[in-house]
Amino acid sequence: MIRRGQKLAVLAAAVLLGGVLVAQTQPVEVLAYIQPASGITDVTQVRLVVEVSGVRNPQIEDPQIGELQNLRMLRNRPGVEQSTSIVNGRVSSSYRLSYVLLPEQLGPASIPALKIVVDGKVFSTDPIHFEVASSPRRPLDSGTGQGGSGSSGNVVFAESKLSRDEIWVGEPVLATASVYSTLRVHDIALAEIPAFSQFLATTVPVDINSETTRAEIGGRAYAVYPVRRDLLIPLGPGSYEIDPYTIQVKVQSRRDVFDLFARGTNVMRRTEPLTLTVKPLPADAPVGFGGAVGSFGFKASLDRSEAAVNDAVALRVTVEGEGSLQTIDPPLWEAPAGVKVYDPESSLETDMRNGRLISRKTWEWVLVPLAPGEISLDALEFVSFEPRGGEYRTDRADPLLLAVVEGDGLPIASASRDRSVISLEQKDIAFIKPLRGDALAYTAPRLYQRGWFLSLAFMPLFWVPFFVWLGRRRDLLQRDLGLARGRRAKRRARKALRAIRKHLAEDDGAAFYEEIARTLVSYVGDRFNRAPSGLTYELADELLTGRGIDEALRLRFRSCLETCDFARFVPSTAKAERRAEVLVEATALIDALERAW
Amino acid sequence: MVGVTRVVLLLAGILLMALPASAQTAEEAFERGNAAYAAGDWAAAADEYRTVLDYRVADARVYYNLANAEFRMGRLGPSILHYEKARRLDPADPEIQSNLRFVQGYRFDRVEIEEPFLIVDTLHGLQARLSIDGQAWVLVTLLWIAAGILVRGLSRPGRFGPLHGWPLAALATLIVLVGLSWWDTFERLERRELAVVMAPAAEIVAGPGPSNPSLLTVHEGLTVVILDDRGDWIQVSLPNGINGWIATRAIDRV
């Protein structure tokens, strides 16, 4: 049984190995083709596919694509796909590199033979030739939109138009690109926009959702989607051809209506080129013409009618109307004598109303009158070119009068913005400060620069530990009376001996020796926290022995006590010299015992 | 011997006379300056205030009055410089602040200064009112109180309890806050070195030397922060955050 199973396993492995070998020995093929293969029009997005098959995980270098004829590439980087399939045990893999191309015009188009390097080996494809046919741009031209959904009766096309075909230099014109569709549109994207190299171009925002309209063309209802608006201002005269817009539209075909998972179909649409004639402005431009072409109003004003010498006064000139004011020069005017004029600041606002460009430009000069008197600004005029009438127009402002009075010698305000802010805050500086009897402050270091203050700041670092130790010691002595008594023993003994010394010269020798003996015994009693009354000499000696006091010292102690006793009872020995010796000995004994403790 | 004694007595007399005389002169000069200012003689007033400063007076009132006189004479840079000096000495004085703001409105350079948050503004106001020395006193007082509580709690084993712990924690928090506030005040008002552009116009260049490319032009009265000093050239930070170098002769330090 085992042997039979082993045979089956070996057989299966051999089959698998054979399959792998078959797969590996499959020849490598490189193929180039286009999608769609036929029916290509000038708005069809052509997909060039380079397919490599018969090799797994190949190293493929991007193919060198030669000169395309009547085609241009929309993206330089190819899209990459990989697929693997097993058919009848045969494993096959393929890799596809795809490029998006767009026809440039009607007529023959070709893609040259491609050279591609796969795993270091060079392969070559065949060249591809095809014909670019005319696309149906108008619904009336054809019932179908080629490159679109392909269903009969569905039309998608793109259209661009100019607001005017003939304009003057400097006059704005609006170019609008729109998509017309009878199908539901999922998405619209601009693939290419014209270069507008001869124009000053500004994109006007478009809201497709709110601006979509309906139109009926040839009895068919279309949804019209505005895709792009460009405001163009020609920089010079001439006849200009504006390149087409190319727009990618994702539409839903009728067939997709019943397909819940349909994601729409991309179609590419291109508008027709547009032609615009730009007329030169008449040569007899008046002095002061700054390039304004349009219908404008003009006004000038001063922000005040009275000012002091050296005050800043704002002269505002506003031009407003239909047309572009983007590049125009400020109006020329001559400053009257006795006025300093600073360079103007300008601001521009634009708006689109019903497809017309409305502009408003304001210049503001700061004037500083240098002498009192009345100043008249009466040469303010604005020259523009009126395109409807085809002639230049000069607007003059009413004379502006400024009464200038003596100033207060203040510096000149440099900008009107500053001046307005100042006038809102206060009229003038606050008055000087009096002394009011206070002495003036003299130069003195700050607190942190003074040594005594730093000492004061860091002193707690020292006194906190000291007082904590002191408090704890005092507490300990209060709680342990024996310890406290022991620590006071020497002090008390010395105090007693000093008192005895005062009576050294007195005749009462017995009392002297009695006091000496009592002091010595009391010292031992204090040290061992014992009552002196119950302390015999033997007991004192025993306690000292227990404390480890050496024998010689103990003997001296005992001897001193016995000397005192003897002297008390044999008064003849109690001479003054002897008493002094005993006192010295007692003092020395106390010191020696303290040291030995 | 008699000669030496005479000389010593003479010197002592001169010294005794000179001390009160100088103190009186500074205050008298200040009063004379105020009188001249009130009479509209700005130049005489400014001279008197400068005389006061010669006595090593460091009083915000002198700088403030001098700044007023300079402004009246149309000298924008010196006016702003002296207001800044007055502000450094008395940062809480509202008149110094408002006059400085007013005069700064006459600068050629437009400076956008962001309004600080209300809480920051209030804290800075409190710091200015208390002054850096006042905060130092508060800090040391708190330290001593905390040290006293610590001694009281630790001087007997087992005594330290909540009656010591909570006040000590509160005091420690206060000490940290006041300490941070003192440090912030120190950094803003003491350590940061300001200067005012005195030249009508001065180039801000990319490096310390005239051969460096010019970044922009600043004008009289602009207050800058000094970052570095290389003798003839000083690295400064402008109010809008731009850093560059300016010739030392074009500015005066606050």
Side-chain angles (χ1 to χ4, degrees):
Chain A
M1 186 70 186
I2 291 169
R3 223 177 248 175
R4 191 176 175 188
Q6 285 175 336
K7 280 181 185 172
L8 280 171
V10 170
L11 195 63
V15 168
L16 279 173
L17 188 63
V20 171
L21 285 173
V22 166
Q24 283 182 341
T25 54
Q26 194 180 346
V28 177
E29 286 182 346
V30 177
L31 184 67
Y33 56 89
I34 57 169
Q35 290 177 332
S38 62
I40 294 170
T41 69
D42 57 344
V43 295
T44 305
Q45 189 174 316
V46 180
R47 193 159 166 255
L48 167 65
V49 181
V50 181
E51 186 172 309
V52 179
S53 57
V55 62
R56 298 184 73 183
N57 300 323
Q59 292 290 319
I60 303 174
E61 293 178 16
D62 284 354
Q64 296 296 316
I65 298 173
E67 195 173 339
L68 298 168
Q69 184 194 342
N70 193 21
L71 291 166
R72 70 177 179 285
M73 196 174 288
L74 288 185
R75 288 195 304 268
N76 285 326
R77 296 291 303 166
V80 181
E81 291 175 35
Q82 178 185 1
S83 63
T84 304
S85 60
I86 303 174
V87 181
N88 297 330
R90 193 182 183 90
V91 182
S92 60
S93 298
S94 62
Y95 297 85
R96 279 183 287 278
L97 309 175
S98 59
Y99 299 85
V100 178
L101 309 174
L102 207 60
E104 288 188 317
Q105 57 189 358
L106 304 181
S110 67
I111 300 166
L114 309 178
K115 281 195 166 40
I116 181 166
V117 180
V118 180
D119 287 341
K121 196 173 173 185
V122 180
F123 293 84
S124 186
T125 65
D126 294 330
I128 301 168
H129 303 278
F130 58 92
E131 193 73 15
V132 178
S134 175
S135 65
R137 294 180 206 284
R138 292 286 185 271
L140 299 177
D141 294 342
S142 167
T144 62
Q146 281 192 348
S149 62
S151 300
S152 176
N154 297 334
V155 175
V156 180
F157 70 94
E159 183 188 66
S160 64
K161 59 184 176 186
L162 294 168
S163 56
R164 295 176 61 195
D165 295 331
E166 191 176 82
I167 57 173
W168 298 91
V169 170
E171 188 181 0
V173 64
L174 192 68
T176 306
S178 306
V179 168
Y180 290 68
S181 176
T182 59
L183 303 173
R184 187 178 168 197
V185 172
H186 288 297
D187 191 25
I188 297 176
L190 274 163
E192 275 188 312
I193 56 171
F196 302 131
S197 56
Q198 300 296 318
F199 299 88
L200 194 65
T202 309
T203 305
V204 180
V206 175
D207 183 356
I208 292 183
N209 294 326
S210 65
E211 294 184 42
T212 299
T213 55
R214 295 269 162 197
E216 190 172 317
I217 303 171
R220 196 189 293 261
Y222 288 85
V224 184
Y225 302 94
V227 181
R228 168 110 177 176
R229 284 196 194 101
D230 291 293
L231 186 76
L232 311 174
I233 300 168
L235 300 174
S239 181
Y240 298 104
E241 183 169 283
I242 296 172
D243 295 337
Y245 292 84
T246 306
I247 304 165
Q248 183 176 285
V249 190
K250 184 181 274 189
V251 293
Q252 184 183 45
S253 69
R254 285 180 180 171
R255 188 177 54 198
D256 294 335
V257 171
F258 302 101
D259 183 357
L260 292 175
F261 301 101
R263 289 182 292 178
T265 307
N266 276 327
V267 296
M268 198 68 83
R269 292 291 181 263
R270 184 188 290 170
T271 64
E272 295 281 0
L274 298 167
T275 303
L276 177 67
T277 303
V278 180
K279 296 181 285 184
L281 297 178
D284 55 341
V287 175
F289 177 63
V293 178
S295 302
F296 300 109
F298 164 69
K299 62 180 178 184
S301 64
L302 292 170
D303 69 341
R304 64 177 94 170
S305 57
E306 287 184 8
V309 171
N310 280 338
D311 265 1
V313 179
L315 166 64
R316 269 189 208 95
V317 171
T318 304
V319 177
E320 184 175 12
E322 183 184 346
S324 172
L325 295 169
Q326 198 170 348
T327 58
I328 66 165
D329 298 325
L332 290 175
W333 59 281
E334 196 173 332
V339 175
K340 187 173 183 180
V341 182
Y342 289 85
D343 288 341
E345 291 189 359
S346 67
S347 60
L348 175 67
E349 298 164 39
T350 56
D351 190 18
M352 292 298 297
R353 290 180 206 158
N354 302 322
R356 296 181 307 151
L357 175 67
I358 306 299
S359 303
R360 175 191 169 95
K361 191 159 191 172
T362 303
W363 293 270
E364 187 172 302
W365 286 263
V366 174
L367 317 180
V368 178
L370 302 174
E374 186 162 277
I375 293 171
S376 175
L377 304 172
D378 49 7
L380 282 161
E381 55 185 38
F382 177 72
V383 182
S384 62
F385 180 76
E386 170 65 70
R388 292 195 185 95
E391 58 186 14
Y392 292 99
R393 179 180 138 181
T394 301
D395 292 298
R396 284 183 183 78
D398 294 334
L400 301 172
L401 296 176
L402 178 67
V404 183
V405 295
E406 281 286 1
D408 54 2
L410 295 181
I412 297 165
S414 58
S416 59
R417 288 164 299 185
D418 290 358
R419 185 198 59 251
S420 64
V421 171
I422 290 162
S423 63
L424 286 172
E425 285 181 353
Q426 60 185 48
K427 293 289 184 189
D428 197 7
I429 54 172
F431 197 61
I432 52 170
K433 290 178 185 293
L435 202 56
R436 285 206 185 107
D438 301 333
L440 292 169
Y442 285 79
T443 308
R446 293 283 195 198
L447 274 180
Y448 68 87
Q449 293 167 325
R450 297 179 186 217
W452 65 265
F453 185 79
L454 292 176
S455 307
L456 195 70
F458 289 103
M459 214 176 273
L461 289 177
F462 303 100
W463 64 254
V464 165
F466 171 72
F467 281 112
V468 167
W469 169 80
L470 195 67
R472 286 182 173 240
R473 184 172 174 273
R474 184 177 296 165
D475 181 67
L476 185 66
L477 293 177
Q478 279 174 353
R479 280 187 289 113
D480 190 342
L481 291 175
L483 180 68
R485 200 175 156 194
R487 294 202 171 184
R488 284 198 300 268
K490 182 188 175 187
R491 199 163 60 243
R492 286 180 63 184
R494 281 193 159 274
K495 190 177 174 186
L497 290 173
R498 277 198 301 275
I500 292 166
R501 188 186 298 273
K502 289 178 185 170
H503 303 289
L504 196 61
E506 292 174 5
D507 289 338
D508 192 358
F512 171 82
Y513 285 112
E514 189 179 347
E515 281 301 314
I516 292 284
R518 186 184 296 129
T519 300
L520 291 174
V521 171
S522 292
Y523 172 78
V524 174
D526 284 345
R527 268 295 177 195
F528 291 98
N529 196 22
R530 297 290 183 97
S533 55
L535 206 63
T536 61
Y537 293 172
E538 288 74 20
L539 182 56
D541 189 61
E542 203 175 299
L543 289 171
L544 290 173
T545 308
R547 179 67 192 180
I549 304 297
D550 68 77
E551 192 177 357
L553 190 55
R554 277 191 282 118
L555 286 175
R556 271 178 69 194
F557 184 78
R558 183 67 180 261
S559 167
C560 189
L561 286 174
E562 286 171 353
T563 303
C564 289
D565 282 351
F566 181 76
R568 280 167 62 195
F569 298 110
V570 187
S572 60
T573 61
K575 291 180 180 168
E577 296 81 15
R578 179 60 184 155
R579 282 194 298 228
E581 286 173 15
V582 171
L583 183 61
V584 170
E585 172 65 4
T587 307
L589 271 172
I590 296 294
D591 288 342
L593 283 169
E594 275 296 312
R595 284 196 297 273
W597 209 260
Chain B
M1 188 66 189
V2 173
V4 173
T5 310
R6 278 182 182 170
V7 170
V8 168
L9 284 173
L10 186 64
L11 286 174
I14 291 170
L15 191 65
L16 284 170
M17 285 169 69
L19 281 174
S22 70
Q24 278 184 1
T25 307
E27 270 127 22
E28 281 175 6
F30 185 77
E31 293 288 19
R32 283 199 301 273
N34 281 4
Y37 187 97
D41 191 349
W42 324 123
D47 283 344
E48 292 292 352
Y49 295 137
R50 284 195 204 95
T51 306
V52 175
L53 293 176
D54 289 342
Y55 289 100
R56 299 183 60 77
V57 165
D59 196 301
R61 290 171 293 181
V62 183
Y63 285 110
Y64 170 86
N65 289 3
L66 176 56
N68 272 18
E70 297 278 17
F71 178 68
R72 290 293 186 217
M73 288 190 291
R75 290 157 53 87
L76 189 62
S79 171
I80 290 177
L81 176 76
H82 292 118
Y83 279 131
E84 289 282 10
K85 286 182 176 178
R87 185 165 70 161
R88 174 155 282 189
L89 288 169
D90 190 357
D93 190 306
E95 286 178 331
I96 297 174
Q97 303 276 359
S98 69
N99 275 18
L100 178 60
R101 270 201 305 277
F102 179 82
V103 173
Q104 282 174 336
Y106 284 86
R107 292 188 300 205
F108 189 90
D109 296 313
R110 187 182 179 192
V111 177
E112 299 281 354
I113 298 172
E114 285 184 16
E115 285 291 319
F117 289 116
L118 183 63
I119 187 164
V120 176
D121 203 29
T122 309
L123 282 174
H124 284 175
L126 278 174
Q127 287 174 333
R129 194 154 298 184
L130 205 53
S131 84
I132 191 162
D133 283 350
Q135 291 178 62
W137 271 122
V138 172
L139 191 62
V140 168
T141 307
L142 290 173
L143 272 171
W144 274 69
I145 295 172
I149 293 174
L150 201 65
V151 167
R152 176 88 183 147
L154 295 179
S155 60
R156 183 182 290 174
R159 180 190 272 180
F160 196 92
L163 280 176
H164 302 96
W166 285 113
L168 210 56
L171 279 167
T173 310
L174 271 175
I175 287 167
V176 169
L177 289 177
V178 176
L180 288 174
S181 168
W182 182 89
W183 184 255
D184 178 62
T185 314
F186 174 72
E187 285 288 326
R188 283 190 303 109
L189 302 179
E190 296 284 312
R191 182 175 282 186
R192 200 171 64 151
E193 209 177 350
L194 299 177
V196 176
V197 176
M198 305 301 278
E203 294 290 308
I204 297 288
V205 293
S211 57
N212 289 285
S214 172
L215 301 176
L216 70 157
T217 304
V218 293
H219 299 86
E220 185 181 1
L222 186 70
T223 305
V224 295
V225 179
I226 295 176
L227 302 176
D228 194 8
D229 188 346
R230 300 265 180 96
D232 290 342
W233 291 87
I234 283 181
Q235 189 184 23
V236 294
S237 174
L238 303 185
N240 57 3
I242 294 175
N243 290 356
W245 294 80
I246 189 169
T248 307
R249 64 177 181 280
I251 61 164
D252 266 6
R253 289 168 188 260
V254 173

